[in-house]
Amino acid sequence: MKKYASISNFFTPDHMFRSFDEVTPEFLHSIGINALLIDIDNTLAPYEQPDANERIINWFKTLKDAGIKAALISNNHPPRVERFNKKLGLIAYADCGKPKSRMLLVAMEQMGSTISDTAGLGDQILTDTAAAHNLGLPSIIVPPIKDKTNAFYKVKRAIERPFVKKYRKKNHGDGSFPKWPKY
């Protein structure tokens, strides 16, 4: 399992993209990834979007055609996850309790993937990156599609901002990529 030299390294994502569909099979293969554990809410769709749309369906088809396995790993409840997954037919788990990693391991076992060929994709550093890094998986983060603006999420995003800044500084010297919510 990968060890992190500091808490800052633990919470800093390994890769960031502007949106889920910028995470291409070519990129995943280039970093040795053949399986992806994917958050739903604000990663693939806003909370208000109950079903996977054509953009999402096509992206998953592209992954499948390239031999990349995928599973949905959500902290949301079964009715939301089951409805969203209806058109996708993926391995899907609700109430995962991220940043705990137990359900990620269950999904990996079901997909037949290992720590060495799996990554996590989500929009929240404190849940998605932490869950991936708990297992030593690479973390891929995208900005939230339509973030909630209540006090809890404002505080959460403020806590995440230094880790986004660290990623930007390390990987995009001018700090311009990607945008992160400002409240």
Side-chain angles (χ1 to χ4, degrees):
M1 183 179 303
K2 184 176 178 179
K3 300 287 183 195
Y4 296 90
S6 69
I7 196 82
S8 178
N9 289 342
F10 180 80
F11 284 110
T12 300
D14 299 290
H15 307 280
M16 292 184 77
F17 290 89
R18 288 181 188 92
S19 70
F20 70 88
D21 52 1
E22 286 187 1
V23 181
T24 65
E26 295 78 18
F27 166 75
L28 293 169
H29 285 145
S30 78
I31 62 169
I33 299 301
N34 296 310
L36 203 52
L37 302 167
I38 307 161
D39 177 55
I40 296 172
D41 295 315
N42 269 334
T43 300
L44 298 175
Y47 289 94
E48 307 79 35
Q49 182 181 322
D51 301 305
N53 60 23
E54 287 304 310
R55 178 180 173 201
I56 295 164
I57 293 167
N58 290 337
W59 181 69
F60 277 108
K61 182 181 182 319
T62 301
L63 293 179
K64 183 178 180 182
D65 290 349
I68 296 171
K69 301 170 193 165
L72 300 176
I73 305 296
S74 178
N75 281 354
N76 212 325
H77 304 299
R80 161 64 165 157
V81 174
E82 290 165 9
R83 178 167 177 178
F84 190 85
N85 191 38
K86 192 170 186 171
K87 293 179 184 176
L88 299 171
L90 299 169
I91 294 166
Y93 292 96
D95 292 328
C96 289
K98 294 177 289 183
K100 294 176 187 171
S101 301
R102 186 176 71 77
M103 295 311 296
L104 281 71
L105 287 169
V106 170
M108 288 168 56
E109 183 177 334
Q110 193 171 355
M111 287 190 298
S113 68
T114 66
I115 288 172
S116 64
D117 71 353
T118 306
L121 170 63
D123 71 298
Q124 294 189 52
I125 291 171
L126 299 179
T127 55
D128 300 311
T129 293
H133 283 178
N134 277 335
L135 296 176
L137 304 176
S139 167
I140 304 168
I141 291 292
V142 296
I145 294 169
K146 183 180 176 188
D147 212 9
K148 293 181 177 180
T149 57
N150 63 37
F152 175 76
Y153 279 87
K154 287 181 182 185
V155 169
K156 198 176 202 181
R157 295 304 183 185
I159 292 169
E160 293 175 337
R161 206 167 288 117
F163 305 112
V164 172
K165 187 176 181 179
K166 181 177 178 180
Y167 173 85
R168 286 179 180 162
K169 186 174 182 181
K170 179 180 174 188
N171 298 286
H172 303 278
D174 64 358
S176 63
F177 173 81
K179 291 186 176 183
W180 206 247
K182 291 183 180 175
Y183 299 108

